[in-house]
Structures are given as C-alpha cells and as structure tokens.
Amino acid sequence: MTQPLDPGMFDACAQVTPLIRVGDKWTAKIIRCLETGPRRFSELRAPLRGITAKVLTETLRAMERDGLVTRTAYAEIPARVEYELSPLGRTLLKPLAAACEWAAAHMAEVTRARGVHEPL
C-alpha cells in the first residue's frame, strides 16, 4: 500500500506566481524564437501564428519581469525595440530541447491516448 500524500508537501514553496512559466502556451515558443539572438516584436509574430499582439506583449513583459528576456529600446525614428534571451533565459534552452525531443518521440502515443478520451 502506498503512503498517503503529505498535506504539507508544498509548504516550503513560495505561495506566489509559479517560478516556471514555460508550461504556458507561448513562453517556450518565444524562447526558441530568441535562441539565435535578438528579435523585434514583428519578427516574433511571424512564426507565432495565432498569437495576438496583446498576448505577445503580456508574455514578453512577464518573461522580462522573471528575468528570462531583456528588452532594449533604441532611440531611433521610428522606435526600435529588440528582445533577447538573458543568461537566465538561455539556461532553459537545454531543458526545452529535451522536452521537444520527448514530444517528438512520444507524439503518436499521446495522440492515441487523447483519442480514447472525450474532448474537454
């Protein structure tokens, strides 16, 4: 018989916004877009089909607040802003690559399992 879960198992965790936000819909994709260097907002929107300007802005702000990206505004006309992975953000590249590798290796199994269940 397994032991019951400890009701205090998460007591040591901060009761704040989760530290890792890469599980949301867009953060991991944005990290991959910034992997090769700085990008402008409009460059990021191209491969992120389906993201609205509002959601991209909110996600980039949250990533900046968490120290994952840096935002550089250049005093030019028209204004130019670039986003770049910070050193902290770059530490997520290997774990994300591993997650992508796992997904590619197991996509058929996950798709079959999802097909067994009713849509949410």
Side-chain angles (χ1 to χ4, degrees), residues 89-100:
R90 295 197 76 72
T91 66
L92 288 169
L93 292 173
K94 281 186 181 180
L96 286 177
C100 288

Side-chain angles (χ1 to χ4, degrees), residues 15-105:
Q15 300 299 315
V16 296
T17 303
L19 179 61
I20 303 298
R21 69 173 61 257
V22 295
D24 71 15
K25 185 173 181 177
W26 299 108
T27 300
K29 290 178 180 180
I30 291 170
I31 289 171
R32 292 300 304 265
C33 289
L34 296 174
E35 183 173 7
T36 58
R39 300 286 178 177
R40 295 178 73 167
F41 188 89
S42 58
E43 290 179 282
L44 292 171
R45 285 198 71 191
L48 299 173
R49 291 184 288 276
I51 195 169
T52 64
K54 178 182 183 235
V55 170
L56 180 55
T57 298
E58 289 171 352
T59 304
L60 286 167
R61 284 181 183 160
M63 292 174 72
E64 183 180 13
R65 201 171 35 249
D66 286 351
L68 302 178
V69 299
T70 57
R71 178 184 184 275
T72 304
Y74 296 92
E76 301 174 353
I77 299 177
R80 179 170 60 105
V81 176
E82 289 182 341
Y83 297 90
E84 184 173 15
L85 285 177
S86 68
L88 179 62
R90 295 197 76 72
T91 66
L92 288 169
L93 292 173
K94 281 186 181 180
L96 286 177
C100 288
E101 186 177 313
W102 182 91

